[in-house]
Amino acid sequence: LMNEPNPITYVEISFEKEKKGSRVFIKHSGWQEGKAWEEARGWHITAWKQVLESMKSYLSREKLAFN
């Protein structure tokens, strides 16, 4: 299910400027009904948590300049 081309899910990422950086918003949508979809969604929730924690760790230790 997760590697099938159809139906697919969508990830929307947006940014909001703040005084000392940016806030990142991520919306993962397009989920269907059923046990296989529930399992896939659970897997993605875990994966997103790990990815976002890694990104936070990287960005907090690096001094990055974006123009």
Side-chain angles (χ1 to χ4, degrees), residues 28-42:
H28 194 161
S29 61
W31 301 102
Q32 305 294 315
E33 300 289 326
K35 183 176 168 93
W37 280 96
E38 289 175 24
E39 291 175 8
R41 188 172 184 177

Side-chain angles (χ1 to χ4, degrees), residues 8 11-13 16 21 29 35 40-41 43 46 52 54 56 62:
I8 60 174
V11 176
E12 179 182 340
I13 302 172
E16 183 177 290
S29 61
K35 183 176 168 93
R41 188 172 184 177
W43 184 91
T46 300
L52 294 172
S54 293
K56 179 181 175 183
E62 296 292 327

Side-chain angles (χ1 to χ4, degrees), residues 15-30:
F15 300 87
E16 183 177 290
K17 188 173 182 174
E18 294 190 342
K19 288 183 180 181
K20 292 186 177 185
S22 298
R23 183 176 299 264
V24 180
F25 296 90
I26 299 174
K27 180 180 178 183
H28 194 161
S29 61

